């Protein structure tokens, strides 16, 4: 499950609704992932058709995001929801830490995130084609190296803010998947083989 842990952040806490508060609240509300249980058609993500248990999340997104908010994979609140749903198996076992939150030189918010995933056999077979193609009951040697290990992924997220409307204009992120897999597997060849066309790499690098 997602569990957002706030470490020490520079004492620039605002007293009114600002980008600082919006970004912090975003990660608080989504600390357990998106509450939509399965991928849905984009048109169905309006507030009138979302299940009751994600109304708070959706209301928040519609309130603070620009209608055409830009993210890695597309535009709009619908695209944000789809990104949260992109790696459903990993989402169940992930712990997210907001390590740092600061303004950059252009007054955008820069969030530094660290995600820790405990690797399971089900996750390997569902998220990584390399292991999914091995349909036998035995876990391949590379899989045995990964099973039960903690995969720690570092991500930076840049939130661009429109002060005139009080909404987020864009939210782009970059994740480093190579470093944690290289640490676990020990060489670039095995790392590239495991990450090739994986859902995790598509979701974090789109």
């Amino acid at each position: 499950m997602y569990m957002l842990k706030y470490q020490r952040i520079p004492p620039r806490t605002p007293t009114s609704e600002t980008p600082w508060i919006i970004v912090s609240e975003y990660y608080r509300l989504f600390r357990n992932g998106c509450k939509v249980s399965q991928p849905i058609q984009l048109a169905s993500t309006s507030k009138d058709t979302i299940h009751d248990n994600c109304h708070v999340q959706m209301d928040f997104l519609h309130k603070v995001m620009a209608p055409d908010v830009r993210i890695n994979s597309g535009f709009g609140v619908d695209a944000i929801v789809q990104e949260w749903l992109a790696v459903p198996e990993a989402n169940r076992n992930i712990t997210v830490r907001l390590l740092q939150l600061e303004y950059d030189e252009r007054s955008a918010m820069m969030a530094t995130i660290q995600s820790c995933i405990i690797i399971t056999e089900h996750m390997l077979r569902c998220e990584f084609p390399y292991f999914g193609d091995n349909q036998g009951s035995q876990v391949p040697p590379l899989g045995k190296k990964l099973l039960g290990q903690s995969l720690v992924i570092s991500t930076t997220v840049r939130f661009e803010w429109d002060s005139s409307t009080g909404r987020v204009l864009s939210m782009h992120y970059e994740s480093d998947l190579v470093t944690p897999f290289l640490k676990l597997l020990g060489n670039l060849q095995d790392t590239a083989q495991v990450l090739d066309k994986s859902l995790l790499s598509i979701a974090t690098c789109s």
Side-chain angles (χ1 to χ4, degrees):
M1 299 293 290
Y2 280 95
M3 182 170 59
L4 185 62
K5 297 182 179 179
Y6 292 89
Q7 294 192 346
R8 187 174 182 181
I9 295 176
R12 191 180 175 182
T13 306
T15 57
S16 59
E17 191 168 281
T18 65
W20 187 289
I21 288 179
I22 295 301
V23 173
S24 298
E25 183 69 359
Y26 173 77
Y27 284 110
R28 186 189 73 81
L29 289 177
F30 285 84
R31 64 190 181 277
N32 294 309
C34 184
K35 296 185 182 299
V36 178
S37 60
Q38 58 185 344
I40 51 181
Q41 296 298 319
L42 294 182
S44 67
T45 58
S46 65
K47 289 185 286 185
D48 293 333
T49 57
I50 292 297
H51 191 273
D52 288 346
N53 67 356
C54 65
H55 276 171
V56 173
Q57 290 178 328
M58 296 304 298
D59 287 344
F60 174 79
L61 291 178
H62 283 287
K63 176 182 177 183
V64 305
M65 300 293 173
D68 58 348
V69 58
R70 302 183 301 276
I71 64 172
N72 288 47
S73 63
F75 299 87
V77 169
D78 297 313
I80 295 176
V81 172
Q82 294 302 313
E83 283 200 351
W84 276 106
L85 298 174
V87 195
E89 292 302 324
N91 287 351
R92 298 177 186 176
N93 302 291
I94 194 168
T95 299
V96 178
R97 293 184 180 183
L98 176 57
L99 298 181
Q100 188 173 3
L101 189 58
E102 59 186 358
Y103 291 100
D104 71 3
E105 67 279 3
R106 298 180 181 178
S107 297
M109 294 301 299
M110 296 294 295
T112 302
I113 306 298
Q114 187 181 76
S115 306
C116 180
I117 304 171
I118 303 300
I119 301 174
T120 65
E121 181 176 351
H122 189 53
M123 174 184 169
L124 289 178
R125 295 192 183 278
C126 290
E127 310 294 342
F128 300 91
Y130 174 79
F131 298 107
D133 292 340
N134 290 274
Q135 297 297 329
S137 59
Q138 296 295 321
V139 178
L142 289 182
K144 292 180 179 179
K145 283 187 177 182
L146 296 173
L147 279 178
Q149 297 290 333
S150 294
L151 180 66
V152 181
I153 303 171
S154 296
T155 303
T156 57
V157 190
R158 186 177 189 275
F159 292 81
E160 185 179 352
W161 177 258
D162 183 353
S163 58
S164 65
T165 62
R167 290 174 178 253
V168 176
L169 292 176
S170 66
M171 185 173 65
H172 290 96
Y173 55 85
E174 294 183 2
S175 296
D176 177 11
L177 285 177
V178 174
T179 298
F181 274 98
L182 183 59
K183 182 177 180 180
L184 294 176
L185 295 173
N187 64 80
L188 283 173
Q189 182 177 353
D190 289 343
T191 297
Q193 194 170 25
V194 168
L195 289 178
D196 184 38
K197 299 179 181 179
S198 73
L199 294 181
L200 191 60
S201 62
I202 292 172
T204 56
C205 300
S206 58

